[in-house]
Amino acid sequence: MAQWTSAVGASQLARLLRSQDSRDTVTPAGRRVPAYRGLAEGVRLLVLEGRVPVAARLPAERELAAALSVSRTTVAAAYEALRAEGFLESRRGSGSWTAVPAGNPLPTRGLEPLPPEAAGSMIDLGCAALPAPEPWLTRSVQGAMESLPLYAHTHGDYPAGLPALRQALADRYTARGIPTMPEQIMVTTGAMGAVAAICRLLTRPGERVAVDSPSYANILQLMRDAGARLVPVALADRLAGWDIPAWRQVMRDAAPRMAYVVADFHNPTGTLATEDQRRRLVDAARAAGTVLVADETMAELRLDDVELPRSVCAFDPSGSSVITVGSVSKAFWAGMRIGWVRAAPDIIRSLVAARAFADLGSPVIEQLAIVSLLEGEGWEQAVEIRRAQARENRDAIVAAVRRHLPDWEFSVPPGGLTLWARTGGLSGSRIAEAGERLGVRVPSGPRFGVDGAFEGFVRLPFTVNGAVAEEAASRLAVAARHVATGTAAGEVEVPQSFVA
């Protein structure tokens, strides 16, 4: 019986391999790495990053050799090297499938938080989230406990969200010039829960979904797992918002059922779409019959004195063409796990009805805590603390990267929590792998793209400051030097000062 659970075609694997740094690899001693070794390293890296799943059947040697324009002997030697290292298993008649050696963690294909027990030995730049702003977290929970007795006598299931929170969120949209009723709001378990619910409602496996390119890695993976066919649309040159002609062409030619965009301090690039771009994209989506899902998770994190355009949903106030997703995770604290959807009442009713087969509702205490913040001045004061933290961290990371990695290119974003850096012509995936061995964890660019795009980038979140930011940049510089000289990942030597 075959041990594989999925398959990777020869053309797909070749495309992923070619997205990596394709220059000839030379060891520090000047010896050129054999072609089979470079191929084996490429497949191993794809497995470790999760871009090729574990237990995926690889193409036959002859097929992959033809797709890569190399000899079959090269592919056979690469497969044999992978088997010897534990990254490939084979059985006569069943082919070969990917594996991970005993003791290696399974790749998650996402940006999961670093386990707390590893915090002492690893600088975590994988997760773009900050500690809670105090004393506002404690005060919000105290306010929730005071209100809880009123709800304790009920069953506690509110599939649409607590009426008080739905009203408070609707009032905030109305105050921004977008008239909103509570019936247009559904409270969710974070922004991920919101997008997952929308995907279940609007798309079926195999349907096309247009996305920014790059875009938020975890959302892309969520959509892949739901069976969506992702259609990437590149941002405008120099990250100047959206390329509207490209969006019009994709909506016309691909006819996506849904499009997912981040207009406000885009993750991972920090781009801020202009008001004219927002208006024109909504018009294009309406004309094409595409539902536009606008993620506003980063919208409140303005770090510089820039004018904020109106919300995307301001150009579709009824919510029939634009579905808005919001969350408290970035502006307040990720541990609160409260998000929401703003849409037309009939869409909200459909989402609520479908929720009976998902999670039934979000926790009452967390919802009450957000109500407590929104009803007073706590929310604005907490967000101001968050902005100050992110601004200080951003400036420290930018300065450290400029000192230690002068060849890296980036634009300093006016808001958000992430810096999108071009890695001087080196493989971001290989830098990420070497960096983890040196005690700094950073996500590589391909996690934020489709089919191996953005190999020459990494994402750096604004989560560290001071000496930690300096040390993180220093370790990344060492990782980049190892990649540039062709040192294999297992040969990276950790300087003594890096050992926790």
Side-chain angles (χ1 to χ4, degrees):
M1 178 180 176
Q3 302 298 307
W4 48 273
T5 57
S6 62
V8 180
S11 59
Q12 179 188 5
L13 183 56
R15 186 167 60 251
L16 290 170
L17 288 165
R18 286 179 180 135
S19 74
Q20 298 173 342
D21 189 14
S22 60
R23 295 174 303 170
D24 291 336
T25 302
V26 178
T27 68
R31 296 188 302 273
R32 195 168 301 281
V33 173
Y36 83 90
R37 171 50 60 186
L39 175 55
E41 278 286 299
V43 173
R44 186 183 64 81
L45 193 60
L46 291 172
V47 172
L48 287 174
E49 282 220 320
R51 288 191 281 151
V52 169
V54 175
R57 186 180 187 273
L58 295 187
E61 295 170 2
R62 190 184 304 277
E63 294 173 356
L64 185 57
L68 291 172
S69 299
V70 299
S71 70
R72 183 178 176 181
T73 302
T74 297
V75 177
Y79 277 15
E80 182 57 36
L82 289 166
R83 277 190 287 269
E85 295 168 0
F87 285 94
L88 197 68
E89 296 180 7
S90 303
R91 178 177 295 178
R92 186 177 298 278
S94 298
S96 300
W97 57 93
T98 56
V100 291
N104 278 47
L106 288 174
T108 63
R109 296 195 295 167
L111 300 179
E112 77 288 355
L114 188 71
E117 62 270 17
S121 59
M122 183 76 67
I123 299 175
D124 186 11
L125 298 181
C127 188
L130 290 166
E134 288 287 25
W136 299 109
L137 173 62
T138 299
R139 291 182 183 178
S140 69
V141 174
Q142 290 171 342
M145 296 307 294
E146 293 173 2
S147 303
L148 185 60
L150 295 175
Y151 296 87
H153 298 292
T154 73
H155 51 60
D157 286 335
Y158 294 87
L162 290 185
L165 182 53
R166 297 176 76 194
Q167 182 68 61
L169 293 170
D171 289 346
R172 285 182 64 81
Y173 281 104
T174 300
R176 292 164 57 189
I178 310 162
T180 302
M181 305 178 293
E183 292 79 9
Q184 289 179 263
I185 301 291
M186 181 178 85
V187 180
T188 63
T189 307
M192 290 288 291
V195 176
I198 295 166
C199 285
R200 287 195 297 269
L201 179 68
L202 296 183
T203 66
R204 297 291 179 269
E207 282 193 295
R208 296 182 179 92
V209 175
V211 294
D212 293 328
S213 183
S215 188
Y216 178 40
N218 286 344
I219 291 292
L220 295 181
Q221 194 58 51
L222 182 156
M223 292 177 178
R224 290 187 190 101
D225 290 345
R229 295 170 60 189
L230 300 182
V231 182
V233 186
L235 294 176
D237 288 343
R238 299 184 181 276
L239 306 181
W242 293 321
D243 184 338
I244 298 301
W247 271 102
R248 288 187 183 280
Q249 181 176 351
V250 164
M251 288 180 179
R252 181 183 64 246
D253 296 346
R257 177 72 177 94
M258 185 180 103
Y260 170 81
V261 296
V262 184
D264 301 285
F265 310 125
H266 176 267
N267 186 353
T269 68
T271 296
L272 180 65
T274 68
E275 184 158 315
D276 183 61
Q277 289 170 342
R278 297 169 192 234
R279 178 188 295 107
R280 293 166 64 194
L281 186 59
V282 172
D283 290 345
R286 186 183 293 115
T290 298
V291 178
L292 193 61
V293 178
D295 190 336
E296 292 188 336
T297 300
M298 295 282 191
E300 303 220 37
L301 293 176
R302 178 174 58 176
L303 307 184
D304 292 338
D305 187 17
V306 294
E307 183 177 353
L308 287 180
R310 284 182 289 171
S311 172
V312 176
C313 63
F315 304 101
D316 177 51
S318 69
S320 57
S321 297
V322 176
I323 299 178
T324 303
V325 170
S327 171
V328 307
S329 65
K330 304 302 183 184
F332 185 65
W333 188 45
M336 196 63 81
R337 306 311 309 148
I338 294 296
W340 58 86
V341 177
R342 182 199 180 275
D346 61 320
I347 294 176
I348 294 296
R349 286 193 294 270
S350 296
L351 288 169
V352 171
R355 197 170 190 179
F357 308 103
D359 60 4
L360 291 176
S362 301
V364 170
I365 293 178
E366 280 86 340
Q367 293 186 70
L368 289 173
I370 301 304
V371 171
S372 174
L373 284 170
L374 294 176
E375 288 183 342
E377 298 180 352
W379 178 262
E380 296 301 331
Q381 294 181 14
V383 170
E384 191 52 48
I385 292 173
R386 171 65 75 244
R387 292 189 187 113
Q389 289 176 322
R391 187 181 302 114
E392 184 178 356
N393 291 357
R394 179 198 63 180
D395 295 347
I397 290 170
V398 165
V401 172
R402 282 175 172 164
R403 274 191 294 272
H404 293 278
L405 294 150
D407 292 340
W408 286 20
E409 302 173 26
F410 53 84
S411 297
V412 180
L417 285 173
T418 55
L419 184 73
W420 185 239
R422 187 188 297 271
T423 53
L426 300 176
S427 164
S429 298
R430 297 182 187 279
I431 289 173
E433 184 188 19
E436 187 141 1
R437 293 178 178 273
L438 290 164
V440 59
R441 183 171 177 264
V442 59
S444 62
R447 291 182 179 271
F448 304 89
V450 177
D451 287 337
F454 307 110
E455 182 60 51
F457 291 82
V458 296
R459 189 193 75 169
L460 305 174
F462 309 147
T463 53
V464 294
N465 195 0
V468 180
E470 197 73 22
E471 181 69 7
S474 175
R475 298 184 191 193
L476 285 173
V478 175
R481 286 197 295 272
H482 278 289
V483 172
T485 57
T487 306
E491 299 170 5
V492 172
E493 295 181 2
V494 181
Q496 191 62 35
S497 61
F498 290 177
V499 178

